[in-house]
Structures are given as C-alpha cells and as structure tokens.
C-alpha cells in the first residue's frame, strides 16, 4: 500500500481562464521590449542570406524540384525559426523562472495550478513562434522567394511546429539540473538542424540513413511547411501533421506530470 509520504500528487486539470492569465502575464513582460522577438529573426535571416542566397548562387536549382536553391531552403529555415523560438522559450526561459527567478513559487499559492502554468507557457511560446514565422514569410516575400500562394499555410503549420517543440522544451526542462546541462541540448538540436534536410534533400543520404532522418521531429516540421510552400499541398501533409500532434501531446503529458511532482512535493 502506498503511503501518503510517497504518493504522487494528483495532476490538476487546466482551466482556460487561468491558462490565459499565464499568457497575459508573459506578454505583459514581453511588451516592454520587442528585442527578444527581433533577435529570433536575426539568425534565420543570416542563414537565408549566407547559405540560401550565397551557396544558392553556386547550386542554381535543386535537382528534381526545379526551384531556386534559396526558395527551397527558405521554408526549412522558416520551420527551424518556429522550432527555435518555441523551444528556447520553454527550455531556457522556464528553467530561469524555476531556478533563478522563482516565479512559479509566487504563482502557485494563487488559484493557478501547475497545469495552468505548463499550458500557459506553451501557449505563449506558440504565439511567439507564429509571430516570428509571419515575419519570416514577409522576408521571403520581399526577397522574391515565394513560389506559391500556399506558403500562407506555413502560418497555421507553425502553430503545430511551435506546439510540438514548446512541449518538447518544457519536458526537457524538467530533467535539467543546471545551466551547464543546456550544452547537451545543443548536441541534439544543432545536428538535427544541419541534417534534417534543411540544406539538402533526403535523397543525398545513403538509403540506410534515411529512416533515421525521417523520424526527426524537425524533418517532419520541414515537410509540413516546405511542401505547401513549394506548391505541393496534398494528403502527404497528414503524416507530419499526425507525427507532430503525437510528439507534442506525449511531451506535454510528460512535462505536466514531472512539473507537478517537482513543484508540489
């Protein structure tokens, strides 16, 4: 029989109004400065100019796709922009609020529950991911890299990408012990960014490696955005759609339970 001392605390249900209160709290802080939002745009634009346009001058068109290399790379960088914006907010940002700022210690005595906090942080990260994605679509349009009106589907797609990686970032944060542990995150995120077909097609890999690439969440995110952006919107989008929903849902389940156990113990 489980004793009261070792029993796990129940996981409270999320309340929409209290979740929105967390979102409002976050954006009351963000509105003081748009620097974090603008800084999230700088790196992807630099990658687009240096690799998409610079290397693209040497590559020309992508074989089998018949579009300019820069136009082919741009949707992938858009997907990584949504990924990085959402993941960074729920990993580094939440870890800082737990370990340094002690923000949640002040929130939990109120009617806001741990689940409300988790959902509010993820919702805030998704909103920021969508805003940066919209900004990058504007950059693509100004640079003449839009090849299909279906690129507008990248905006709702960034909601799902943002959700998957925001939930993933929150789940990862619950196992971090110190800021030095973020180095291990980069050992995963950077190779995934480089090899998840961001800069070259899946066909360039040996056949034995391709299944490994295809199970990466960033690969599925790129597929969800790149195909409609290049005018190939179809039923193929259902696979990355289902993958990211499952990935985000599982990560959210883990994050809420681990946060509940650590914050209410």
């Amino acid at each position: 029989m489980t004793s009261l001392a070792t029993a796990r605390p129940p996981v409270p249900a999320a309340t929409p109004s209290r979740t929105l209160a967390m979102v409002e709290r976050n954006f009351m802080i963000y509105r003081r400065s748009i620097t974090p939002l603008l800084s999230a745009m700088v790196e992807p634009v630099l990658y687009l100019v240096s690799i998409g346009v610079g290397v693209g001058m040497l590559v020309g068109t992508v074989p089998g796709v018949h579009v300019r290399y820069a136009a082919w790379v741009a949707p992938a960088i858009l997907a990584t922009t949504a990924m990085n914006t959402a993941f960074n907010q729920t990993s580094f940002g939440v870890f800082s609020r737990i370990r340094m700022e002690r923000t949640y210690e002040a929130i939990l005595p109120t009617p806001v529950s741990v689940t409300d906090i988790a959902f509010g942080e993820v919702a805030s990260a998704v909103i920021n991911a969508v805003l940066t994605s919209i900004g990058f679509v504007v950059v693509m349009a100004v640079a003449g890299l839009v090849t299909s009106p279906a690129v507008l589907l990248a905006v709702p797609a960034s909601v799902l990408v943002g959700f998957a990686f925001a939930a993933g970032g929150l789940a990862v944060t619950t196992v971090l012990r110190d800021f030095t542990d973020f180095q291990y995150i980069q050992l995963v995120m950077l190779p995934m960014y480089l090899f998840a077909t961001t800069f070259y097609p899946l066909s360039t890999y040996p056949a034995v490696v391709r299944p490994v690439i295809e199970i990466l969440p960033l690969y599925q995110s790129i597929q969800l955005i790149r195909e409609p952006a290049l005018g190939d919107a179809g039923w193929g989008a259902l696979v990355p759609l289902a993958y990211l929903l499952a990935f985000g849902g599982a990560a959210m389940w883990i994050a809420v339970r681990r946060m509940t156990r650590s914050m209410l113990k």
Side-chain angles (χ1 to χ4, degrees), residues 72-73 76-77 80 192-194 196-200 218 222 226:
W72 186 82
V73 167
I77 298 180
T80 62
M192 183 169 63
Y193 175 52
L194 295 176
T197 70
T198 309
F199 300 112
Y200 32 86
L218 179 56
I222 291 173
R226 176 180 275 156

Side-chain angles (χ1 to χ4, degrees), residues 65 67 71-72 75 147-148 151 225-233:
V65 185
V67 297
W72 186 82
T147 60
S148 169
V151 71
I225 292 178
R226 176 180 275 156
E227 291 188 3
L230 298 180
D232 190 23

Side-chain angles (χ1 to χ4, degrees), residues 1 10 28 45 47 55 89 148 151 154 176 197 205 214 222 226 232 251 255 257 260:
M1 182 175 181
M28 286 179 66
V45 170
Y47 273 112
V55 177
Q89 183 171 329
S148 169
V151 71
L176 298 180
T197 70
Y205 292 101
E214 290 175 330
I222 291 173
R226 176 180 275 156
D232 190 23
R257 274 149 184 80
T260 301

Side-chain angles (χ1 to χ4, degrees), residues 234-248:
W235 293 107
L238 292 179
V239 174
L241 185 70
Y243 177 101
L244 293 173
L245 281 173
F247 180 87

Side-chain angles (χ1 to χ4, degrees), residues 75-98:
I77 298 180
L78 171 58
T80 62
T81 301
M83 173 190 75
N84 287 329
T85 302
F87 188 89
N88 290 340
Q89 183 171 329
T90 57
S91 56
F92 187 84
V94 169
F95 190 81
S96 297
R97 287 190 277 278
I98 292 175

Side-chain angles (χ1 to χ4, degrees), residues 150-242:
V151 71
L152 294 176
L153 294 175
V155 176
S158 67
V159 174
L160 187 53
V161 174
F163 165 68
F165 282 98
L170 199 62
V172 169
T173 300
T174 63
V175 301
L176 298 180
R177 299 161 299 177
D178 194 78
F179 280 102
T180 56
D181 289 342
F182 281 93
Q183 300 176 37
Y184 300 112
I185 294 177
Q186 291 305 312
L187 290 177
V188 176
M189 299 296 286
L190 183 57
M192 183 169 63
Y193 175 52
L194 295 176
F195 297 114
T197 70
T198 309
F199 300 112
Y200 32 86
L202 185 64
S203 59
T204 60
Y205 292 101
V208 68
V209 177
R210 293 174 194 172
V212 178
I213 302 299
E214 290 175 330
I215 64 173
L216 296 174
L218 179 56
Y219 171 82
Q220 297 295 335
S221 301
I222 291 173
Q223 290 298 104
L224 184 64
I225 292 178
R226 176 180 275 156
E227 291 188 3
L230 298 180
D232 190 23
W235 293 107
L238 292 179
V239 174
L241 185 70

